[in-house]
Amino acid sequence: MEIGRPHSRLLLRLERFSDLSLDDRQRLFNLPLKVANYSADEEVVAHGDSSSRCTLVLSGFLCSHRTAAGSRRQITSFFVPGDVADLPSFYLPRVHFGIRALGPAVVAFMPHSSLREALDRSPALAQAFWRETLMQTTVLQEWIVNLGRRDAIARIAHVLCELAVRLQAVGLAREFSFSMSWTQMDVADASGISNVHANRIIQELRQLGLVEWDNKHVKIRDWDALARLGDFNDDYLKCPVTLREDRALCGQKA
Amino acid sequence: MEIGRPHSRLLLRLERFSDLSLDDRQRLFNLPLKVANYSADEEVVAHGDSSSRCTLVLSGFLCSHRTAAGSRRQITSFFVPGDVADLPSFYLPRVHFGIRALGPAVVAFMPHSSLREALDRSPALAQAFWRETLMQTTVLQEWIVNLGRRDAIARIAHVLCELAVRLQAVGLAREFSFSMSWTQMDVADASGISNVHANRIIQELRQLGLVEWDNKHVKIRDWDALARLGDFNDDYLKCPVTLREDRALCGQKA
DNA sequence: CGCCGTGTTGATCTCACTCAAGTGCGGTGG
DNA sequence: CCACCGCACTTGAGTGAGATCAACACGGCG
């Protein structure tokens, strides 16, 4: 997997949904990135910290999480390569959720100061990031529905579907097959269930012939059935019309 | 309650966390707002719509919600006066969640076109809205923890605490006492539990002497105990340092 | 070799769901 | 003015999904 060019990851990410000028691209490429490696379960940003940089995922997975009083950990979202995991830290003084590596991960840090400078000079870039944040709110709301109103098997199916689509979008899954360095415990913590129950549900998914899942590698054998089971519809991850399409639509109308 | 000046509601909201120039304020005041009334349970923005305007709450409550397949409705967030309920519609082509009135509500619509014009001219305004969106992601993550890892009584306690703090921030709750036009069913749908169970839990909260809750009016009798029970900490709703404070801090350091 | 983390299995318990019936209130119409 | 209706709230009984506790298998690693 290509991590030699951290800036491209970011660029590709933003350009999926926003049109950037040459100048804007240049500005992104000029951001000083500092690459760092993390091993499984290592904390990248501690809960409660006030951070001076944003974290771009280059390889592996990060997650945002917190532990409720007297309960176990809850993962509130995960991040795949190309995602910026802690955009809120850019404008909010304190991070209210920890950022942690799910399996080994490679990240790049972008200093707030440089980012601020770039965004001050380019409203289009600021817009692109805002748009990312807005998409993030949609994903978070999906999770709320998932946790609030679906049973365990549907929850896990939904998480798997989201994972597959998001990985596919950045070229890290082919034919619904991808490597995933999560433990079953991570899956449980993302789905709001116990690890024991998660294990049983995963076995059920296997027995139903919906997924193969051995040793950090997942292959979805029956996408349609899994998506139906998880009440999953990928519109919310895809449909953001790019500015390009916006313009195309306008052009069509005119 | 003052709803005669829709623009002030918005202005006050943004200025809680962002510094606005006179020009920016003027730009906000120039936004053409269209006021509308909704009765309880009326849909303000339908799920799947592509909207051409944003919705500012002036009075009452809105919520964002969706119904999972084969289950009941889940409320994914609520909005109090001063909140913009569907900011994502500004940059995303489709709304993936319905916006509905919880009890009677008064709203004002802001056309995307005028908003876009204002934001194009003022990066500070765009920033202010982005910041609102970032805060929104924090609130949504809190909900995820709430639904994923807390039992019914803690969930409801947490929702009540959030409600109280957010209403207090806009001057609509005094001494932890506020009117709330939600039904118990709405509370259940926000907490991811059944209406029957919500009823029993609310009774328990009453019996514990934590809240009075008759006929659309809630009074929190023991804030500390309720917050403890709901594992609630209001930092995430308050702590965004305003740009003003940012500067003060910088000044202090220098 | 022994240890630890991950996955697996079994037994028991409990919180919350469903179904069902009943109360009380506010509004509507005769 | 009263009868009725509908909605929100309330209560009870039975059920079930998922939690907890505990033990064990397996593989990688120091």
Side-chain angles (χ1 to χ4, degrees), chain A residues 17 21 39 45 58-59 63 92 104 111 115 117 123 126 140 142 145 161 171 188 211 243 254:
Chain A
F17 302 125
S21 69
S39 46
V45 182
L58 297 179
S59 158
C63 74
L92 306 183
L115 196 53
E117 203 177 331
L140 291 171
E142 282 289 338
V145 175
C161 288
V211 299
L243 292 184

Side-chain angles (χ1 to χ4, degrees), chain B residues 183-185 196 199-200 203 206 216:
Chain B
T183 64
Q184 291 188 355
M185 190 105 157
V196 173
N199 173 274
R200 293 189 166 117
Q203 289 177 58
R206 283 198 277 245
K216 314 295 178 208

Side-chain angles (χ1 to χ4, degrees), chain A residues 77-97:
Chain A
S77 51
F78 62 81
F79 303 96
V80 302
D83 290 336
V84 179
D86 52 358
L87 224 29
S89 75
F90 185 56
Y91 270 129
L92 306 183
R94 238 156 242 295
V95 187
H96 292 280
F97 297 84

